[in-house]
Amino acid sequence: MLTRFAPSPTGYLHLGHVVNAIHVWGIARARGARVLLRVEDHDRIRSRPEYERALLEDLDWLGFAPDAGRQPIVRQSDRDTIYAAALERLRRTHHVYACDCSRKTIGGERYAGRCRSRSLDESAPHTLRVQFDPGVERFTDSRLGDIVQNPSEQCGDLAIRDRDGQWTYQFAVVVDDIDQQITLVIRGEDLLSSTGRQIRLARMLGRTEPPRFLHHPLLVGPTGDKLSKSAADTGVRELRAAGVSAADVIGRAAAASRLIHAPCPIPAAEVARLFV
Ligand SMILES: [Zn+2]
């Protein structure tokens, strides 16, 4: 089994990332899976090399090490050829088209297919979409059980490249998971609604067996509410600068996501204990 830790270098490592790392490394160690690192910098405007350096440094300090090492670093910004090849593969068997609708015209999350009859005009700036036919996707989340989603109702025809020429998160992550042969995806509950559409897209790209999924709880405050943005955004380097140890940072994140009742120090090497 192969899983991945895939941060976006659009800011510093915070407690939300630590919760994800605890689940990724903890579950991987408990089940004998290996962990790959992937830098999800598909957003070329918000991603910065200094954030990437800081994320990797903070991850090292915490003690979470990818199994294959990190050289060369797998970065979405270096994988244009791989995404272009996947787009070609998709175009051979499915309807991919150019859409010039504005956000305002679409008016919500679901795109109803207004430009479906258009050809694939490569000359003008536009969003590339792939047609999603009606039908449900069923999958079993290792924590939440059986889930049914209907991508064509939820999001409609999926955007795979935006009008600035950037590959979308949904497309890049599916292509990467196929290319890196990821068989176990461990991520926060906030991404649960994306899973059906990603399974659909992966199948359209030729993946017969989808990865297994586990969506973990996000940070919660003492009253059980979702932790305030500022608390969830507490930077690992701020805590480190304040003299908090790596094991204490991991313990705080584990408590804030209800893996343990009260914070106590947990070294990175021992996170598997939380999942056995
Ligand atoms: Zn359109």
Side-chain angles (χ1 to χ4, degrees), residues 97-102 105-106 111 113-116 118 127 129:
Y97 60 92
C99 161
D100 61 359
C101 298
S102 66
T105 317
I106 299 168
Y111 179 73
R114 186 170 162 268
C115 303
R116 256 186 206 170
R118 294 177 49 157
T127 302
R129 293 184 184 276

Side-chain angles (χ1 to χ4, degrees), residues 17 26-27 49 64 70 81 97-98 116 126 147 166 193 213 217-218 231 253:
H17 291 112
I27 293 167
F64 292 115
R70 57 176 52 139
T81 320
Y97 60 92
R116 256 186 206 170
H126 53 237
I147 311 261
Q166 296 196 124
S193 64
F213 288 90
L218 303 176

Side-chain angles (χ1 to χ4, degrees), residues 26 43 58 60 86 92 121 141 143 223 262:
D43 185 335
D58 289 345
D60 266 347
R92 281 200 290 272
D121 173 9
D141 180 281
R143 185 175 75 92
T223 54

Side-chain angles (χ1 to χ4, degrees), residues 19-250:
V19 169
N20 184 236
I22 292 171
H23 283 84
V24 168
W25 269 274
I27 293 167
R29 296 290 172 260
R31 297 190 190 175
R34 299 173 72 235
V35 181
L36 298 186
L37 177 77
R38 176 164 82 220
V39 176
E40 297 206 331
D41 60 349
H42 66 99
D43 185 335
R44 294 189 304 241
I45 295 157
R46 292 172 60 225
S47 299
R48 291 199 214 147
E50 58 266 38
Y51 286 141
E52 180 188 296
R53 276 194 300 276
L55 285 171
L56 300 183
E57 198 186 292
D58 289 345
L59 207 58
D60 266 347
W61 176 76
L62 285 167
F64 292 115
D67 287 305
R70 57 176 52 139
Q71 295 299 336
I73 291 174
V74 175
R75 248 184 231 111
Q76 290 181 325
S77 58
D78 295 332
R79 295 163 70 79
D80 209 48
T81 320
I82 292 169
Y83 302 132
L87 173 62
E88 273 314 301
R89 201 154 71 235
L90 199 61
R91 281 171 66 170
R92 281 200 290 272
T93 45
H94 294 87
H95 183 41
V96 178
Y97 60 92
C99 161
D100 61 359
C101 298
S102 66
R103 217 175 270 267
K104 206 175 150 195
T105 317
I106 299 168
E109 201 204 351
R110 181 170 184 272
Y111 179 73
R114 186 170 162 268
C115 303
R116 256 186 206 170
S117 59
R118 294 177 49 157
S119 62
L120 190 56
D121 173 9
E122 293 278 8
S123 60
H126 53 237
T127 302
L128 287 190
R129 293 184 184 276
V130 65
Q131 182 172 329
F132 265 7
D133 293 328
V136 297
E137 295 295 336
R138 296 170 200 278
F139 58 95
T140 303
D141 180 281
S142 300
R143 185 175 75 92
L144 302 168
D146 294 340
I147 311 261
V148 181
Q149 292 179 350
N150 189 331
S152 65
E153 287 299 320
Q154 285 177 281
C155 64
D157 293 348
L158 194 72
I160 55 186
R161 204 176 67 192
D162 70 18
R163 59 180 59 228
D164 300 319
Q166 296 196 124
W167 305 102
T168 63
Y169 159 75
Q170 303 286 354
F171 184 71
V173 84
V174 168
V175 173
D176 289 339
D177 283 343
I178 294 173
D179 186 67
Q180 294 188 287
Q181 300 177 10
I182 300 298
T183 53
L184 175 63
V185 174
I186 299 164
R187 60 189 183 188
E189 271 176 357
D190 53 335
L191 283 165
L192 181 62
S193 64
S194 290
T195 301
R197 69 197 70 165
Q198 290 179 5
I199 291 172
R200 170 78 57 94
L201 184 61
R203 188 181 324 106
M204 292 164 86
L205 281 163
R207 182 166 192 167
T208 47
E209 185 72 25
R212 298 185 67 81
F213 288 90
L214 185 144
H215 294 87
H216 61 73
L218 303 176
L219 291 161
V220 287
T223 54
D225 303 330
K226 191 168 177 250
L227 204 64
S228 72
K229 181 104 177 81
S230 59
D233 283 350
T234 305
V236 168
R237 45 191 50 208
E238 290 162 38
L239 294 168
R240 181 178 168 186
V244 182
S245 74
D248 276 322
V249 172
I250 295 171

